[in-house]
Amino acid sequence: KKKKNLSGVSLNMPPEFQLSIIKKAFPKKESIGIFFSGEGNGKLLKYYEDVALKYNMKIVGFPLKSEKEIPMILNSMKFQPDILMFIPDRIVIKEKLINYIIKACIIKKIPVIGFNRWFCKNGAVLSFYLDYGDIGIQTGKLSKRLFKTKSIQSVVEPPKRIRILINIKVADKFNFELSEYIKKSADVF
């Protein structure tokens, strides 16, 4: 099998960046819950767990085989994270299901963090998102650099600019304490 030479800018957000911002946004919170399908995101969850240790935080994984398990997990005594963070996952993908999870967390006074603007529009307190114009500019600069150096090696860069969006209305209404740092540095929905 011939290896393909692909270069570009990844649309994945580095866990190091996400967890550093979460720690700055919620300095008193220590545990972050994540729903994940084992086959697709088990390795990614392990990576989040390792990175979380650097920030004195703990990742609490909630493995899923099907979406039918979610209500049972949300209502169990084990579901007590300080924060719930969504990662892209093949099981937790439907808008209706995500809305259900966000509402259940708000009722339990658990702030939710998403990975695009849609999450804040639908009740998450904080979301990370990419500006695709920024991604295009970064990709163009990478292409120019590769053409200039005539490099044939595959180069995949993380996004240089990840934006942060906070839903101040949800934070205020449900008394989710956000740090002054995040209030000053994030976009407000």
Side-chain angles (χ1 to χ4, degrees):
K1 190 174 180 180
K2 193 173 179 180
K3 194 175 180 182
K4 292 183 180 181
N5 184 2
L6 299 173
S7 293
V9 177
S10 174
L11 298 180
N12 295 325
M13 297 177 207
E16 292 85 354
F17 174 80
Q18 291 176 300
L19 295 177
S20 72
I21 295 299
I22 291 168
K23 188 64 176 179
K24 290 174 185 173
F26 301 98
K28 296 177 184 175
K29 307 283 186 186
E30 295 178 0
S31 66
I32 301 171
I34 299 176
F35 285 109
F36 72 102
S37 56
E39 49 201 62
N41 278 326
K43 288 180 185 175
L44 180 59
L45 189 82
K46 175 67 175 124
Y47 187 55
Y48 272 102
E49 290 172 347
D50 293 343
V51 173
L53 295 174
K54 296 175 188 175
Y55 297 100
N56 294 318
M57 299 175 88
K58 180 182 177 189
I59 300 296
V60 180
F62 298 101
L64 300 170
K65 291 182 182 160
S66 86
E67 65 184 62
K68 294 176 182 171
E69 296 172 292
I70 291 173
M72 190 171 59
I73 293 169
L74 287 170
N75 292 316
S76 75
M77 293 301 291
K78 289 183 179 182
F79 188 78
Q80 295 183 2
D82 293 331
I83 297 167
L84 180 74
M85 184 170 88
F86 282 94
I87 60 173
D89 189 88
R90 68 172 186 79
I91 291 178
V92 188
I93 190 103
K94 296 176 186 163
E95 286 183 15
K96 190 174 180 179
L97 180 61
I98 295 169
N99 277 320
Y100 171 79
I101 295 169
I102 290 171
K103 287 178 184 160
C105 286
I106 286 174
I107 289 168
K108 292 178 172 265
K109 303 285 187 205
I110 299 170
V112 174
I113 298 173
F115 56 84
N116 61 38
R117 294 177 64 87
W118 179 90
F119 284 88
C120 271
K121 290 179 185 175
N122 288 279
V125 175
L126 186 144
S127 282
F128 299 101
Y129 72 99
L130 300 172
D131 180 306
Y132 295 110
D134 292 344
I135 297 294
I137 291 167
Q138 185 180 345
T139 303
K141 287 179 180 178
L142 172 63
S143 298
K144 188 176 179 180
R145 201 169 60 245
L146 292 174
F147 283 126
K148 190 175 188 178
T149 62
K150 296 183 172 96
S151 175
I152 58 169
Q153 290 193 336
S154 183
V155 177
V156 178
E157 294 181 349
K160 286 188 177 171
R161 185 173 182 202
I162 300 171
R163 295 181 180 227
I164 305 158
L165 181 67
I166 56 173
N167 187 328
I168 205 74
K169 290 178 186 173
V170 169
D172 289 346
K173 184 174 181 178
F174 297 99
N175 296 316
F176 294 138
E177 287 185 44
L178 291 169
S179 70
E180 288 304 312
Y181 165 84
I182 205 70
K183 288 178 183 177
K184 290 178 183 171
S185 59
D187 298 334
V188 177
F189 174 76

